[in-house]
Every structure is written in structure tokens, then in C-alpha cells.
């Protein structure tokens, strides 16, 4: 078995794969103050609660957009699992051609999503990731990453709204019964859910227009992908495990044991 870690600004997502099959997945809050021992104790407890023996994990791979945690999680894997994880860094084979101004600016999570998306859905392709930021990745008919869009994230936008006002409460991000809210909570939910649905639909349509083709598969991933995808017609697939499956593919592509 192998373990895959996707270290994001808000959450760290884990998955354990037995060959190609997903054994388990979970997420924990990202906290740069935690030590490798704290993360390790948490990991071992969760693995055992899911019936996974840590000794059966023989390899791992990490994708990170939080450099402060790279060493911490690498040390955790070494100490608690006895594995030295691969890291998504320059030199790791991805098979992805980056046709952008500066390839080093492309986040690790976007690279992994592109790799997984191409393998699962082919090209041309648009991948919308509802993470800390809302990102749009565009791959042309050759499967080359030609750029995209970075917009504010859903949770961050809500946090900004709440923190920047004196009386607005923190609300659950879920679809209200109607676009016209009858109270403060449903007013806010309408603005967030339908506002982001409109943003995604408009941007996807603009991308397809620039590509001069309508037959572009669009995949949504990330925590709020299901909520938004239900409101619009431009999303063809919701795939919440896309990033972790991309890490699995890259591990086997680069591992000497593969």
C-alpha cells in the first residue's frame, strides 16, 4: 500500500491506495504549528480506526503548497510509517507539458490535477478546483496545460464577508430554497452559492469561446464542487478524489518499485 498527501492551505488530504484501489481517504485541518509527532499520532490513530496497519504502507508521495510543512510531513512519514515519500518538485516525472510563461509558478496541486484529469478524462479539458482558491486549469487538445484562472475561494470569500462586517453571522455553505433570501442567513447563502455558480458558468463559457470549441470536458473537484455543480450546466463530472488519484499515478510513474 502507498499513502498520498495533498498539503493545502486549508486542509491536508490523505489517501491510502492498495495497488490501484482506494483503501481509505480523509482530511485534517492544516496547522503549521503542529509538529511531526502531533501529525504522526493523529495519522496512526485514523489509520487504525479504519483497519489499516501502518506497517503495510511501503511508499508515499507528497504534494504541497505550504512549504513550512514539507519537512514536518516528510519527517512524519519517515518516523511513523518508515517510508521516505516522493515529493512533487522539479525533477519528478509528470508527463505534463506546461505551455505557460513561468512553469515554476504553477502550483503543485494544479499540476497533479492536470495529470489526473488527462489520465481519466482526456483532452481538451477544463478542471475547476474549489479549494482555498477557485482555480480553472485549461488543457488544449494536445493535452498541454496552456493556463487558466485563479479566483477567490468560497470559504475565504465567506470569511472575508463575516470578518469585514459587524453583524453578519457565520453560516453553513449550502443551497438556500430560493435565490431571494428571507433572512440574513439565506441572503448570505444565496450570494455565496449562486454567486459562485454564476462565476464558474461564465468563466467556463468564456474559456470554451477562446478555445473555439464547445466539446471541452469540464471536471469539478474540491470541497464545494458538488454544491456548485448542481446549480450549473457546464460541469460534466464531479471528482472529489482527483488530486489524490493524480498523486497515486505520479508515485507509480516515478517509483523504482513500480
Amino acid at each position: 500500500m502507498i499513502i498520498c498527501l495533498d498539503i493545502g492551505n486549508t486542509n491536508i488530504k490523505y489517501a491510502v491506495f492498495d495497488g490501484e484501489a482506494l483503501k481509505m481517504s480523509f482530511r485534517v485541518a492544516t496547522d503549521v504549528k503542529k509538529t511531526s509527532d502531533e501529525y504522526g499520532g493523529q495519522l496512526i490513530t485514523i489509520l487504525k480506526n479504519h483497519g489499516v496497519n501502518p506497517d503495510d504502507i511501503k511508499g508515499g508521495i507528497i504534494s504541497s503548497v505550504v512549504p513550512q510543512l514539507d519537512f514536518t510531513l516528510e519527517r512524519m512519514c519517515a518516523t511513523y510509517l518508515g517510508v521516505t515519500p516522493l515529493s512533487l518538485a522539479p525533477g519528478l516525472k509528470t508527463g505534463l507539458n506546461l505551455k505557460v510563461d513561468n512553469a515554476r509558478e504553477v502550483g503543485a496541486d494544479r499540476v497533479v490535477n492536470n495529470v489526473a484529469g488527462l489520465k481519466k478524462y482526456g483532452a481538451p479539458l477544463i478542471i475547476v478546483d474549489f479549494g482555498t482558491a477557485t482555480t480553472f486549469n485549461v488543457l488544449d487538445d494536445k493535452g498541454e496545460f496552456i493556463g487558466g484562472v485563479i479566483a477567490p475561494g468560497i470559504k475565504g470569500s465567506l470569511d472575508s464577508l463575516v470578518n469585514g462586517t459587524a453583524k453578519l453571522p457565520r453560516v453553513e455553505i449550502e443551497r438556500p430554497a430560493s435565490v431571494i433570501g428571507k433572512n440574513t442567513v439565506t441572503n448570505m447563502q444565496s450570494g455565496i452559492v449562486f454567486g459562485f455558480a454564476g462565476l464558474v458558468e461564465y468563466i467556463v463559457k468564456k474559456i470554451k469561446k477562446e478555445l473555439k470549441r464547445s466539446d471541452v470536458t469540464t471536471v469539478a473537484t474540491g470541497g464545494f464542487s458538488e454544491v456548485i455543480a448542481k446549480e450549473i450546466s457546464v460541469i460534466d463530472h464531479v471528482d472529489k478524489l482527483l488530486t489524490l488519484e493524480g498523486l497515486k499515478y505520479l508515485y507509480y510513474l516515478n517509483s523504482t518499485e513500480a
Side-chain angles (χ1 to χ4, degrees), residues 109-173:
D109 52 341
R110 300 182 79 180
V111 172
V112 175
N113 281 343
N114 289 337
V115 169
L118 280 173
K119 186 171 176 63
K120 294 188 70 174
Y121 302 102
L125 184 68
I126 300 168
I127 301 170
V128 187
D129 188 353
F130 296 92
T132 305
T134 304
T135 59
F136 298 73
N137 296 341
V138 184
L139 297 118
D140 64 14
D141 53 2
K142 297 177 183 177
E144 297 176 336
F145 176 56
I146 59 172
V149 177
I150 300 176
I154 292 178
K155 186 176 182 300
S157 295
L158 179 59
D159 289 344
S160 177
L161 182 63
V162 172
N163 295 334
T165 54
K167 298 182 69 174
L168 292 181
R170 196 166 298 279
V171 301
E172 291 294 323
I173 299 173

Side-chain angles (χ1 to χ4, degrees), residues 87-105:
S87 179
L88 190 63
L92 194 78
K93 290 185 294 184
T94 66
L96 182 68
N97 198 357
L98 303 177
K99 291 289 189 178
V100 294
D101 292 341
N102 186 352
R104 292 183 178 274
E105 290 181 348

Side-chain angles (χ1 to χ4, degrees), residues 2-5 7 58-64 70 73-74 77 83-89 91-93 247-258:
I2 67 167
I3 190 166
C4 301
L5 290 78
I7 306 171
K58 303 302 182 183
I61 184 168
I62 294 176
S63 165
S64 174
D70 292 358
L73 275 298
E74 288 170 4
C77 288
V83 302
T84 301
L86 299 176
S87 179
L88 190 63
L92 194 78
K93 290 185 294 184
L247 284 172
K248 173 194 68 176
Y249 171 70
L250 289 176
Y251 175 84
Y252 289 125
L253 181 65
N254 287 271
S255 174
T256 57
E257 299 175 4

